[in-house]
Amino acid sequence: MLQPQDKRLALQAYEQILDLIQSKRAQPGEIVTERRLAEMLDMSRTPIRDALLMLEGEGLLIRRGTRGLQVKQIRIEDFMDALQIRSLLEPAMARMAAGRIPAGDLDSLRNQLQTLAAGGENDRMSVREVDERLHEMIARAAGNPQLEQIIRTVRRQTQMFDLRSMPERLGDTCAEHIAIVDAIASGNAEASAKAMADHLSAVRRAIVARLTGG
């Protein structure tokens, strides 16, 4: 298991490699390797390796045997399909988790989200860390390891459309997450499911608006 410092270094490497992909400096079909990226980003190979595994899990890189990992052609349809799966499964998981997460853990998350929202700064890495912590808590509390793994995999496929591409979503993202936290803390299963469904619907609308220029 990654230690906090190791995880942060891996996330920093992830951010930089993702930027290479999104900016098309790493073209679809291009082979990327740990050694080359470590030299380019002036980082050790360990966080690079962890970042590449994350990007492979999100479907942005495809393993090509001993040649390394290849940048995948990004298809918007894939992301929308993954988001539809999340919309079907995650409200059910939130329903199962209602009332089953320690109040202290939820209070800590709420305080972090309120601080991020009040600051108004697009600290994408901090928001992502809080987002992952919330969803991991919900998944564990739901008590279904197979469902947890499915959702973790599908979530990775939609994380490209987060605050990097939609910085205007910072305030809304924090507010939606706080609503999920409050609903779960109340123990109201249906309110928890609705808060999660509302959040995912808002994400989908924002993606559609961004893609269509609306």
Side-chain angles (χ1 to χ4, degrees), residues 38-76:
E39 293 173 355
M40 182 186 301
L41 303 178
D42 193 23
M43 300 181 73
S44 72
R45 291 177 66 166
T46 298
I48 295 292
R49 183 180 304 117
D50 293 332
L52 290 176
L53 287 172
M54 292 168 63
L55 289 160
E56 183 182 6
E58 291 173 10
L60 296 179
L61 297 175
I62 304 169
R63 191 163 296 280
R64 294 303 186 197
T66 58
R67 296 176 60 205
L69 291 161
Q70 184 180 53
V71 178
K72 182 181 177 181
Q73 176 68 49
I74 298 171
R75 295 179 64 254
I76 300 304

Side-chain angles (χ1 to χ4, degrees), residues 107-127:
D107 288 342
S108 174
L109 270 174
R110 187 185 297 104
N111 289 337
Q112 285 182 276
L113 288 162
Q114 289 172 341
T115 298
L116 285 168
E121 296 182 1
N122 188 351
D123 185 349
R124 180 176 181 265
M125 187 149 39
S126 294
V127 174

Side-chain angles (χ1 to χ4, degrees), residues 65-180:
T66 58
R67 296 176 60 205
L69 291 161
Q70 184 180 53
V71 178
K72 182 181 177 181
Q73 176 68 49
I74 298 171
R75 295 179 64 254
I76 300 304
E77 293 83 358
D78 294 337
F79 291 102
M80 300 307 290
D81 288 347
L83 189 59
Q84 183 179 41
I85 295 171
R86 288 185 61 187
S87 297
L88 291 170
L89 297 181
E90 287 197 74
M93 183 166 270
R95 182 184 292 109
M96 294 160 67
R100 300 179 64 179
I101 299 177
D105 292 342
L106 293 173
D107 288 342
S108 174
L109 270 174
R110 187 185 297 104
N111 289 337
Q112 285 182 276
L113 288 162
Q114 289 172 341
T115 298
L116 285 168
E121 296 182 1
N122 188 351
D123 185 349
R124 180 176 181 265
M125 187 149 39
S126 294
V127 174
R128 176 167 179 152
E129 288 174 347
V130 174
D131 177 73
E132 289 189 349
R133 185 179 167 203
L134 171 60
H135 285 274
E136 286 173 3
M137 279 185 182
I138 292 172
R140 285 196 302 270
N144 187 321
Q146 292 189 49
L147 183 57
E148 177 181 354
Q149 181 58 47
I150 291 169
I151 290 178
R152 181 182 295 114
T153 299
V154 177
R155 285 189 70 244
R156 285 174 177 168
Q157 296 173 15
T158 62
Q159 284 175 333
M160 181 178 173
F161 284 102
D162 55 16
L163 292 177
R164 175 185 292 276
S165 56
M166 299 186 294
E168 70 280 2
R169 284 272 303 152
L170 175 61
D172 289 340
T173 294
C174 291
E176 290 157 17
H177 282 168
I178 289 171
I180 294 170

